[in-house]
Amino acid sequence: MNAKVTIHDVARMSGVSIKTVSRVLNREPNVKAATRDRVQEAVAALNYRPNISARSLAGSKAYLIGVFFDNPSPAYVTDVQLGAIGRCRTEGYHLIVEPLDSEGDVEEQVAPMLATLRMDGVILTPPVCDDARVLAVLDAEGVPYVRLSPDRDLDRSAYVRMDDVAAAYEMTAHLIKLGHKDIAFIKGHPDHGAAHLRYDGYAKAMAEHGLAVREDRVAQGWFSFRSGFEAAETLLAGEDRPTAIFASNDDMALGVMAVANRLRLNVPETLSVAGFDDTPGAKVVWPQLTTVRQPIQAMAAAAADLLLSGDLKGEDGAAPPSRLLDFELVVRESTGPAAG
Amino acid sequence: MNAKVTIHDVARMSGVSIKTVSRVLNREPNVKAATRDRVQEAVAALNYRPNISARSLAGSKAYLIGVFFDNPSPAYVTDVQLGAIGRCRTEGYHLIVEPLDSEGDVEEQVAPMLATLRMDGVILTPPVCDDARVLAVLDAEGVPYVRLSPDRDLDRSAYVRMDDVAAAYEMTAHLIKLGHKDIAFIKGHPDHGAAHLRYDGYAKAMAEHGLAVREDRVAQGWFSFRSGFEAAETLLAGEDRPTAIFASNDDMALGVMAVANRLRLNVPETLSVAGFDDTPGAKVVWPQLTTVRQPIQAMAAAAADLLLSGDLKGEDGAAPPSRLLDFELVVRESTGPAAG
DNA sequence: ACAAGCCATGACAACCTTGTCAAGGCGACC
DNA sequence: GGTCGCCTTGACAAGGTTGTCATGGCTTGT
């Protein structure tokens, strides 16, 4: 019942050589249409599937794409995997996931794996995508890679990212359009490039709409719930309060919501709250959070696409290709018209 | 710099045959200690890593473990991957992740993949672990698998699960010890076996402590935030309220918290709320949620261990091996002494 | 001291597919 | 009509490792 079917069986059944079967399987040119059909019938009849080990041993492809991450937001990782698989599966590629421990000896984790697996490409998520050690090993082993939302060294490799500045700009504009003039901002972890970009978008929107950014309305956060909570405690102390708070990620925004609840400030009647990222938690509060959705699956799919289409070098020494994807403003119930 | 190092190079350098190198690499017996050392030195000096494709083509192992899931909670999937990798990496195994679409033709997704990859084993997470079609294909292809928290057919394969009954019992007992006598319960999705087990644990604890379960204190939920929200609206309407609500997962518990906030019921002073699962959201509310933590990483590691140790059949027709892991009660701020 | 058996090792085939190169067939072009 | 060149196909080696089996040396038991 389960005897392994090899390419020889297909060749015999369709009366051609194994090489021709191989040609059909790999969509190589120079096969007569009639032959091709006959082979494909045999493949279907025998339910033949090429053995991936033999393929990669004989040929140059491993049919494996790696996904590296470290201490990730689970939702992010899952989305990356789903997006990448979507593009890979149709072409017979599979996904190898490799959690890394940046605290430890990354080289020792990455190098053996690259040497044994000979993957066709790797997708790097933050913060691994900015780890010089990882990039060095990849370069040394000659494994192509695409980075997702890298912070620096953008010319070093192909990458895919979202326009954080524009997204933060739009969110701020959304609040302004609702009538808010006194909009506070909670910054993210200064080591993350996105934190700066988001602040820039906020500042730009304020400036372009003729609104001043009061220094005491900008708080430093660390992208954590707790840091959002503490920032909100400061921002909302006393009578002179902003009418809206834009936290540069959802976890911090949820911290703001918690403080608002505690202080009995109604959201959004008294205080509007906006987040960034559209994490699962954004829908698991009441009222649900207005936020920005990163097209993570699409970004991962784009990364896989760059890897599979194989033009990562950039024509003639030009910068490697990159893609900028559109964000989506998700307006839910936590933002509303400014009071008064 | 980067010429591929093969087993031949190691053999030449250490003055033995490639077969002996292979023996050392695979920890086979019958190699003199001195020879072994010499070979290992050469391996280290040349930085040799065996090629996984060649290995699996020649031998019987693929050094690949699959993880199948469908529409999962991201945190769950990530934990499974981390747990499984922890056990796999030391033995040179890698993880292939395969999201499945149970709505579509699962056979068509699974069968080709098993045939091409020839994985050494597969870890199945709910709900895939109870999908008869998937199990049938795995059996047909002869690929060993371990199921995580399966609902039914427990004798069919090896599995790993947690004691949901005991965990729900303990949580209920925790509330009772705090002085609560009027404890409401929100059930989960009736299609999930865990939903029933958790209710059973609750009911058992109530009975053993001589407390009656009022029918109007048990609400049907669906494991979603919204269903928890709605159940809480009913449970908390009017003056005759329970002093504690035990929701059988965190999402529903967060729904309860949202309603409590809305009704200005202080948690935990007026109302204690308990959840189940310890999702990331549990820490992203105020007060943070008392809940039950499933040892998901440990469960996945145990599954990988069963796969790698390879005794999945059960001795002499006995039931396949299974492991029952301990839960952990995570007491945070959302539960407190009963009022009055 | 001799047979039996175990230990350590090596030669070689096998695993299944792709890459290389050669060859036959056929139409086009001069 | 002959030559060139493209399309189509096949034979065979290559890819790096493990499995099988054979070999020779050394130990054990009598």
Side-chain angles (χ1 to χ4, degrees):
Chain A
M1 179 78 227
N2 197 25
K4 299 169 209 159
V5 181
T6 75
I7 199 170
H8 292 276
D9 302 318
V10 179
R12 198 176 320 124
M13 183 168 184
S14 46
V16 299
S17 73
I18 56 171
K19 178 61 206 180
T20 298
V21 177
S22 172
R23 271 189 270 261
V24 173
L25 259 40
N26 293 294
R27 293 194 188 74
E28 287 174 30
N30 303 337
V31 179
K32 236 195 315 188
T35 312
R36 185 184 304 277
D37 292 347
R38 212 145 28 91
V39 170
Q40 276 165 342
E41 274 171 34
V43 167
L46 295 171
N47 198 29
Y48 165 72
R49 311 287 171 194
N51 178 309
I52 204 172
S53 302
R55 277 185 119 163
S56 65
L57 182 58
S60 49
K61 298 185 255 180
Y63 295 94
L64 294 177
I65 297 289
V67 177
F68 292 3
F69 53 87
D70 173 38
N71 183 30
S73 137
Y76 188 92
V77 174
T78 311
D79 271 345
V80 168
Q81 294 176 0
L82 291 172
I85 273 282
R87 179 68 178 75
C88 288
R89 196 173 266 172
T90 51
E91 311 221 4
Y93 283 73
H94 296 268
L95 234 51
I96 296 265
V97 302
E98 293 289 348
L100 262 35
D101 173 19
S102 301
E103 306 293 306
D105 186 337
V106 208
E107 283 94 342
E108 205 159 279
Q109 300 167 57
V110 175
M113 168 170 95
L114 292 178
T116 51
L117 248 31
R118 303 265 151 84
M119 297 180 271
D120 302 302
V122 172
I123 297 174
L124 300 174
T125 68
V128 179
C129 62
D130 289 304
D131 188 314
R133 298 167 300 169
V134 175
L135 302 187
V137 176
L138 284 161
D139 284 336
E141 294 282 341
V143 177
Y145 56 94
V146 173
R147 296 184 291 159
L148 253 32
S149 305
D151 276 357
R152 41 181 176 280
D153 249 346
L154 297 189
D155 286 343
R156 177 160 186 174
S157 77
Y159 64 90
V160 178
R161 66 181 190 88
M162 195 199 70
D163 195 338
D164 280 86
V165 176
Y169 181 98
E170 289 249 342
M171 179 62 84
T172 310
H174 160 73
L175 292 168
I176 294 172
K177 195 180 299 171
L178 284 171
H180 295 278
K181 295 179 159 51
D182 189 354
I183 305 171
F185 186 87
I186 306 180
K187 291 175 163 182
H189 197 300
D191 284 357
H192 293 32
H196 305 285
L197 298 175
R198 292 174 190 178
Y199 176 77
D200 291 348
Y202 157 77
K204 187 173 162 217
M206 294 293 277
E208 289 193 4
H209 290 82
L211 298 173
V213 173
R214 284 172 48 181
E215 202 174 309
D216 61 336
R217 291 281 132 104
V218 177
Q220 180 66 54
W222 307 91
F223 279 149
S224 67
F225 176 79
R226 164 143 232 97
S227 71
F229 193 99
E230 287 166 0
E233 282 183 323
T234 308
L235 290 169
L236 297 175
E239 289 301 303
D240 173 34
R241 295 193 208 95
T243 63
I245 297 183
F246 178 11
S248 55
N249 83 343
D250 282 358
D251 281 359
M252 297 194 298
L254 292 171
V256 175
M257 299 271 278
V259 172
N261 265 321
R262 235 179 138 186
L263 298 177
R264 301 269 178 260
L265 300 173
N266 288 320
V267 176
E269 293 80 7
T270 312
L271 178 74
S272 283
V273 179
F276 203 113
D277 282 345
D278 197 26
T279 52
K283 298 183 70 171
V284 161
V285 281
W286 193 89
Q288 297 188 352
L289 202 57
T290 291
T291 185
V292 173
R293 178 179 302 147
Q294 290 203 55
I296 299 178
Q297 290 199 24
M299 289 167 71
D305 189 61
L306 285 169
L307 248 18
L308 295 187
S309 62
D311 53 333
L312 297 181
K313 297 289 145 188
E315 318 265 322
D316 291 325
S322 66
R323 302 211 186 148
L324 189 69
L325 268 62
D326 275 342
F327 56 88
E328 183 187 348
L329 208 66
V330 181
V331 177
R332 290 199 272 246
E333 293 88 38
S334 71
T335 52
Chain B
M1 177 79 226
N2 197 25
K4 298 171 212 160
V5 181
T6 75
I7 198 170
H8 292 276
D9 302 318
V10 179
R12 197 176 322 125
M13 183 169 186
S14 44
V16 299
S17 73
I18 57 171
K19 179 60 205 180
T20 297
V21 177
S22 172
R23 271 189 269 260
V24 173
L25 260 39
N26 294 293
R27 295 193 186 74
E28 287 175 31
N30 302 338
V31 179
K32 238 197 309 189
T35 312
R36 185 182 306 275
D37 292 347
R38 212 147 25 94
V39 170
Q40 276 165 343
E41 273 170 36
V43 167
L46 295 171
N47 198 28
Y48 164 73
R49 310 288 173 193
N51 178 309
I52 203 173
S53 302
R55 279 185 116 162
S56 64
L57 181 60
S60 48
K61 299 185 254 179
Y63 295 92
L64 294 177
I65 297 289
V67 176
F68 292 3
F69 53 87
D70 173 38
N71 184 31
S73 136
Y76 189 91
V77 173
T78 311
D79 272 345
V80 168
Q81 294 176 0
L82 291 172
I85 273 283
R87 180 68 178 76
C88 288
R89 197 172 266 172
T90 50
E91 310 222 4
Y93 283 72
H94 296 267
L95 234 50
I96 296 265
V97 301
E98 293 290 347
L100 263 34
D101 172 20
S102 301
E103 306 291 306
D105 187 337
V106 207
E107 283 93 343
E108 207 158 277
Q109 301 167 55
V110 176
M113 171 168 92
L114 292 179
T116 53
L117 248 31
R118 304 265 152 86
M119 298 180 270
D120 302 303
V122 173
I123 297 174
L124 301 174
T125 68
V128 179
C129 62
D130 289 304
D131 189 314
R133 299 167 300 172
V134 175
L135 302 187
V137 176
L138 284 162
D139 283 337
E141 295 281 342
V143 177
Y145 56 94
V146 173
R147 296 184 291 159
L148 253 32
S149 306
D151 276 357
R152 40 180 176 280
D153 249 346
L154 297 190
D155 286 344
R156 179 161 186 172
S157 76
Y159 64 89
V160 177
R161 66 184 189 85
M162 195 200 70
D163 195 340
D164 280 86
V165 176
Y169 181 98
E170 290 250 342
M171 179 62 84
T172 309
H174 161 71
L175 291 169
I176 294 172
K177 194 179 298 172
L178 284 172
H180 296 277
K181 295 180 158 52
D182 189 355
I183 304 170
F185 186 87
I186 307 181
K187 292 176 163 179
H189 197 301
D191 285 358
H192 293 33
H196 304 287
L197 299 176
R198 292 174 191 179
Y199 177 75
D200 291 348
Y202 157 78
K204 187 172 162 218
M206 293 293 277
E208 289 193 3
H209 290 82
L211 298 173
V213 173
R214 283 171 49 180
E215 203 174 309
D216 60 336
R217 291 280 133 103
V218 176
Q220 180 66 55
W222 307 90
F223 279 149
S224 67
F225 176 79
R226 164 144 232 94
S227 72
F229 193 98
E230 287 167 359
E233 281 184 322
T234 307
L235 290 170
L236 297 176
E239 289 300 304
D240 174 34
R241 294 193 208 94
T243 63
I245 298 183
F246 178 12
S248 55
N249 83 342
D250 283 357
D251 281 0
M252 297 195 296
L254 292 171
V256 174
M257 299 271 277
V259 172
N261 266 321
R262 231 179 141 187
L263 297 178
R264 301 267 179 261
L265 301 173
N266 288 320
V267 176
E269 293 79 7
T270 313
L271 178 74
S272 282
V273 179
F276 203 112
D277 282 346
D278 196 26
T279 53
K283 298 183 71 171
V284 160
V285 281
W286 195 90
Q288 296 189 352
L289 203 56
T290 292
T291 184
V292 174
R293 178 179 300 146
Q294 291 202 55
I296 299 180
Q297 291 199 23
M299 288 167 71
D305 188 60
L306 284 170
L307 249 18
L308 295 187
S309 62
D311 53 335
L312 297 182
K313 296 290 148 189
E315 317 266 321
D316 291 325
S322 66
R323 300 208 187 151
L324 189 69
L325 268 63
D326 275 343
F327 56 87
E328 183 186 347
L329 207 66
V330 181
V331 177
R332 291 199 271 246
E333 294 88 38
S334 71
T335 51

PDB file of all heavy atoms in Angstrom, chain B residues 122-134:
ATOM      1  N   VAL B 122       5.456  14.050  14.017  1.00  0.00           N
ATOM      2  CA  VAL B 122       4.639  15.252  13.916  1.00  0.00           C
ATOM      3  C   VAL B 122       3.978  15.520  15.264  1.00  0.00           C
ATOM      4  O   VAL B 122       3.563  14.591  15.955  1.00  0.00           O
ATOM      5  CB  VAL B 122       3.554  15.095  12.832  1.00  0.00           C
ATOM      6  CG1 VAL B 122       2.593  16.266  12.851  1.00  0.00           C
ATOM      7  CG2 VAL B 122       4.180  14.939  11.459  1.00  0.00           C
ATOM      8  N   ILE B 123       3.933  16.794  15.617  1.00  0.00           N
ATOM      9  CA  ILE B 123       3.215  17.202  16.814  1.00  0.00           C
ATOM     10  C   ILE B 123       1.922  17.890  16.385  1.00  0.00           C
ATOM     11  O   ILE B 123       1.958  18.799  15.557  1.00  0.00           O
ATOM     12  CB  ILE B 123       4.068  18.176  17.656  1.00  0.00           C
ATOM     13  CG1 ILE B 123       5.340  17.459  18.149  1.00  0.00           C
ATOM     14  CG2 ILE B 123       3.270  18.705  18.835  1.00  0.00           C
ATOM     15  CD1 ILE B 123       6.313  18.380  18.875  1.00  0.00           C
ATOM     16  N   LEU B 124       0.815  17.432  16.915  1.00  0.00           N
ATOM     17  CA  LEU B 124      -0.479  17.981  16.516  1.00  0.00           C
ATOM     18  C   LEU B 124      -1.089  18.789  17.655  1.00  0.00           C
ATOM     19  O   LEU B 124      -1.217  18.289  18.772  1.00  0.00           O
ATOM     20  CB  LEU B 124      -1.431  16.847  16.149  1.00  0.00           C
ATOM     21  CG  LEU B 124      -0.985  15.932  15.009  1.00  0.00           C
ATOM     22  CD1 LEU B 124      -1.951  14.758  14.861  1.00  0.00           C
ATOM     23  CD2 LEU B 124      -0.910  16.710  13.713  1.00  0.00           C
ATOM     24  N   THR B 125      -1.465  20.006  17.365  1.00  0.00           N
ATOM     25  CA  THR B 125      -2.102  20.827  18.390  1.00  0.00           C
ATOM     26  C   THR B 125      -3.608  20.853  18.155  1.00  0.00           C
ATOM     27  O   THR B 125      -4.057  20.572  17.048  1.00  0.00           O
ATOM     28  CB  THR B 125      -1.576  22.263  18.332  1.00  0.00           C
ATOM     29  OG1 THR B 125      -2.028  22.886  17.127  1.00  0.00           O
ATOM     30  CG2 THR B 125      -0.057  22.304  18.356  1.00  0.00           C
ATOM     31  N   PRO B 126      -4.383  21.170  19.174  1.00  0.00           N
ATOM     32  CA  PRO B 126      -5.817  21.294  18.961  1.00  0.00           C
ATOM     33  C   PRO B 126      -6.078  22.454  18.004  1.00  0.00           C
ATOM     34  O   PRO B 126      -5.357  23.451  18.092  1.00  0.00           O
ATOM     35  CB  PRO B 126      -6.376  21.612  20.351  1.00  0.00           C
ATOM     36  CG  PRO B 126      -5.239  21.465  21.310  1.00  0.00           C
ATOM     37  CD  PRO B 126      -3.980  21.491  20.531  1.00  0.00           C
ATOM     38  N   PRO B 127      -7.063  22.398  17.153  1.00  0.00           N
ATOM     39  CA  PRO B 127      -8.010  21.293  16.993  1.00  0.00           C
ATOM     40  C   PRO B 127      -7.559  20.232  16.002  1.00  0.00           C
ATOM     41  O   PRO B 127      -8.264  19.245  15.815  1.00  0.00           O
ATOM     42  CB  PRO B 127      -9.250  22.015  16.454  1.00  0.00           C
ATOM     43  CG  PRO B 127      -8.685  23.136  15.637  1.00  0.00           C
ATOM     44  CD  PRO B 127      -7.385  23.537  16.285  1.00  0.00           C
ATOM     45  N   VAL B 128      -6.394  20.420  15.398  1.00  0.00           N
ATOM     46  CA  VAL B 128      -5.956  19.460  14.379  1.00  0.00           C
ATOM     47  C   VAL B 128      -5.792  18.062  14.976  1.00  0.00           C
ATOM     48  O   VAL B 128      -5.998  17.054  14.297  1.00  0.00           O
ATOM     49  CB  VAL B 128      -4.623  19.931  13.753  1.00  0.00           C
ATOM     50  CG1 VAL B 128      -4.154  18.935  12.716  1.00  0.00           C
ATOM     51  CG2 VAL B 128      -4.779  21.295  13.143  1.00  0.00           C
ATOM     52  N   CYS B 129      -5.455  18.020  16.260  1.00  0.00           N
ATOM     53  CA  CYS B 129      -5.181  16.728  16.882  1.00  0.00           C
ATOM     54  C   CYS B 129      -6.419  15.843  16.951  1.00  0.00           C
ATOM     55  O   CYS B 129      -6.314  14.654  17.236  1.00  0.00           O
ATOM     56  CB  CYS B 129      -4.609  16.926  18.281  1.00  0.00           C
ATOM     57  SG  CYS B 129      -5.728  17.770  19.385  1.00  0.00           S
ATOM     58  N   ASP B 130      -7.574  16.427  16.707  1.00  0.00           N
ATOM     59  CA  ASP B 130      -8.796  15.626  16.733  1.00  0.00           C
ATOM     60  C   ASP B 130      -9.440  15.520  15.359  1.00  0.00           C
ATOM     61  O   ASP B 130     -10.592  15.114  15.237  1.00  0.00           O
ATOM     62  CB  ASP B 130      -9.790  16.232  17.731  1.00  0.00           C
ATOM     63  CG  ASP B 130      -9.330  16.030  19.157  1.00  0.00           C
ATOM     64  OD1 ASP B 130      -9.098  14.872  19.543  1.00  0.00           O
ATOM     65  OD2 ASP B 130      -9.169  17.028  19.879  1.00  0.00           O
ATOM     66  N   ASP B 131      -8.689  15.890  14.347  1.00  0.00           N
ATOM     67  CA  ASP B 131      -9.230  15.821  12.991  1.00  0.00           C
ATOM     68  C   ASP B 131      -8.959  14.427  12.418  1.00  0.00           C
ATOM     69  O   ASP B 131      -7.822  14.062  12.119  1.00  0.00           O
ATOM     70  CB  ASP B 131      -8.568  16.899  12.114  1.00  0.00           C
ATOM     71  CG  ASP B 131      -9.245  17.021  10.768  1.00  0.00           C
ATOM     72  OD1 ASP B 131      -9.506  15.972  10.140  1.00  0.00           O
ATOM     73  OD2 ASP B 131      -9.508  18.153  10.337  1.00  0.00           O
ATOM     74  N   ALA B 132     -10.024  13.668  12.284  1.00  0.00           N
ATOM     75  CA  ALA B 132      -9.877  12.264  11.858  1.00  0.00           C
ATOM     76  C   ALA B 132      -9.179  12.158  10.513  1.00  0.00           C
ATOM     77  O   ALA B 132      -8.429  11.210  10.268  1.00  0.00           O
ATOM     78  CB  ALA B 132     -11.251  11.597  11.794  1.00  0.00           C
ATOM     79  N   ARG B 133      -9.391  13.123   9.655  1.00  0.00           N
ATOM     80  CA  ARG B 133      -8.777  13.059   8.319  1.00  0.00           C
ATOM     81  C   ARG B 133      -7.267  13.151   8.423  1.00  0.00           C
ATOM     82  O   ARG B 133      -6.529  12.397   7.779  1.00  0.00           O
ATOM     83  CB  ARG B 133      -9.311  14.195   7.454  1.00  0.00           C
ATOM     84  CG  ARG B 133     -10.816  14.154   7.237  1.00  0.00           C
ATOM     85  CD  ARG B 133     -11.292  15.466   6.643  1.00  0.00           C
ATOM     86  NE  ARG B 133     -11.008  16.608   7.512  1.00  0.00           N
ATOM     87  CZ  ARG B 133     -11.179  17.875   7.171  1.00  0.00           C
ATOM     88  NH1 ARG B 133     -11.603  18.181   5.954  1.00  0.00           N
ATOM     89  NH2 ARG B 133     -10.912  18.840   8.022  1.00  0.00           N
ATOM     90  N   VAL B 134      -6.810  14.078   9.245  1.00  0.00           N
ATOM     91  CA  VAL B 134      -5.367  14.240   9.404  1.00  0.00           C
ATOM     92  C   VAL B 134      -4.755  12.984   9.999  1.00  0.00           C
ATOM     93  O   VAL B 134      -3.732  12.477   9.521  1.00  0.00           O
ATOM     94  CB  VAL B 134      -5.063  15.467  10.293  1.00  0.00           C
ATOM     95  CG1 VAL B 134      -3.576  15.566  10.550  1.00  0.00           C
ATOM     96  CG2 VAL B 134      -5.589  16.734   9.633  1.00  0.00           C
TER      97      VAL B 134
END
